[in-house]
């Protein structure tokens, strides 16, 4: 027998941001492999599946990708419905292509079920549109993080060229990111919003500038996304923190 493998997006965190298709596929799973960031309530939808956690939390223990690929292929030999559940959308910073390649190599049937990616959830949390008519026509989804044994990618050039950026997996390297961008000519006063645990009740958001980014990014322990661009100034109740941002800006440039 050979089963079908579903690469499923679990969304950014809140279980009810799951698509109906994802919920249906998860409920039908015979075996389910999930990342650390997936909400337990989503995993719990797999009522009759063997459930296996495969790590994947930035900087912590994670099961080697090659081993995950192999486990998916092996599982399809024994189970009709194999689900690989990933945070956000599987096709964005999710190493989906490596798994797809392994599945294709093994001649297995597979299907991708999209999910709400972190940048979209963060945009919703902030109430700030990622694109804005006339002023923000482009946004790059970028990560400065590179895999083991790989050369640092050219993350800076696309970041400089676009009107706005959603920076994934960047909080740990915020100082280097900010320094590189400022050195390349991005104004130090460019607005920055950091959203942690977007879509979850414990979500936090901080507004700062490129100059203030290194100081503030260190505060986050949960998954955090950095949004950069003119539209990400503090709005509504968050505008009150402008004062402290001003202080950070002054400290940063002192
Ligand atoms: N495939 C995922 C991204 C995986 S990379 C997606 O489409 O969202 C992991 C990074 O995503 C984290 O380091 C963080 O930058 C971001 N992230 C994931 N969930 C998040 C959340 N709820 N809030 C803020 N950032 C999040």
């Amino acid at each position: 027998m050979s089963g079908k493998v579903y690469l499923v997006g679990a969304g950014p965190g809140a279980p009810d941001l799951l698509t109906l298709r994802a919920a249906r596929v998860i409920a039908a799973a015979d075996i389910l492999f999930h990342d650390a960031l997936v909400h337990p309530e989503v995993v719990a939808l797999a009522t009759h599946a063997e459930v296996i956690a495969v790590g994947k939390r930035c900087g912590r223990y994670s099961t080697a990708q090659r081993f995950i690929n192999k486990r998916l292929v092996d599982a399809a030999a024994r189970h009709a419905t194999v689900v690989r559940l990933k945070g956000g959308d599987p096709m964005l910073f999710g190493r989906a292509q490596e798994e797809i390649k392994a599945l294709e190599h093994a001649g297995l049937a597979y299907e991708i079920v999209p999910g709400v990616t972190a940048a979209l959830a963060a945009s919703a949390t902030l109430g700030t549109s990622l694109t804005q008519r006339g002023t923000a026509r482009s946004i790059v989804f970028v990560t400065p993080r590179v895999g083991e044994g790989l050369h640092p990618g050219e993350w800076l050039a696309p970041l400089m060229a676009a009107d706005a950026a959603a920076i994934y997996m960047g909080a740990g390297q915020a100082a280097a990111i900010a320094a590189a961008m400022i050195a390349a000519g991005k104004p130090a006063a460019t607005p920055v919003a950091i959203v942690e645990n977007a879509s979850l009740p414990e979500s936090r958001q901080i507004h700062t500038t490129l100059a203030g980014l290194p100081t503030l990014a260190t505060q986050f322990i949960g998954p955090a996304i950095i949004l950069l661009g003119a539209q990400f100034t503090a709005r509504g109740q968050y505008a009150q923190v402008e004062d402290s941002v001003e202080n950070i800006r002054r400290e940063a440039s002192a």
Side-chain angles (χ1 to χ4, degrees):
M1 112 180 237
S2 74
K4 185 167 173 180
V5 181
Y6 293 84
L7 304 188
V8 178
D16 59 348
L17 281 178
L18 200 67
T19 66
L20 291 176
R21 186 180 298 179
R24 183 170 52 73
V25 167
I26 294 166
D30 299 308
I31 185 164
L32 179 141
F33 299 90
H34 69 90
D35 287 352
L37 284 180
V38 176
H39 197 285
E41 277 180 38
V42 171
V43 176
L45 294 175
T47 44
H48 71 267
E50 182 186 337
V51 171
I52 299 162
V54 285
K56 282 297 192 70
R57 175 77 180 84
C58 206
R60 297 198 201 153
Y61 169 80
S62 81
T63 313
Q65 186 62 46
R66 239 177 303 131
F67 186 54
I68 297 175
N69 299 348
K70 183 176 180 322
R71 290 188 82 174
L72 289 179
V73 171
D74 291 349
R78 290 179 287 113
H79 301 278
T81 304
V82 179
V83 171
R84 171 74 174 103
L85 194 52
K86 292 165 178 284
D89 183 90
M91 306 299 251
L92 205 56
F93 306 123
R95 303 190 70 170
Q97 210 64 56
E98 294 158 61
E99 292 172 11
I100 290 168
K101 211 171 134 194
L103 298 172
E104 282 176 344
H105 187 73
L108 292 168
Y110 66 87
E111 187 178 321
I112 317 295
V113 181
V116 175
T117 191
L120 304 184
S123 159
T125 297
L126 294 168
T128 302
S129 180
L130 297 184
T131 56
Q132 295 192 14
R133 208 171 103 92
T135 56
R137 289 184 170 87
S138 59
I139 177 156
V140 286
F141 288 15
V142 64
T143 184
R145 221 176 125 84
V146 289
E148 236 172 88
L150 301 171
H151 295 294
E154 275 298 323
W155 56 266
L156 188 59
L159 238 164
M160 297 300 294
D163 291 327
I167 307 174
Y168 286 71
M169 294 175 275
Q173 288 152 277
I177 295 168
M181 291 190 74
I182 292 169
K186 200 65 144 178
T190 306
V192 165
I194 310 169
V195 183
E196 180 190 42
N197 286 315
S199 84
L200 290 167
E202 63 268 33
S203 173
R204 283 198 301 158
Q205 55 175 289
I206 282 186
H207 292 272
T208 180
T209 61
L210 199 46
L213 176 61
T215 323
L216 289 178
T218 53
Q219 295 189 13
F220 297 96
I221 329 151
I225 189 156
I226 300 166
L227 297 167
L228 177 137
Q231 69 269 48
F232 297 110
T233 47
R235 298 170 53 259
Q237 62 178 119
Y238 293 97
Q240 295 163 7
V241 302
E242 267 305 310
D243 258 3
S244 55
V245 168
E246 216 20 79
N247 288 336
I248 289 158
R249 206 178 284 157
R250 240 177 269 124
E251 276 167 31
S253 58

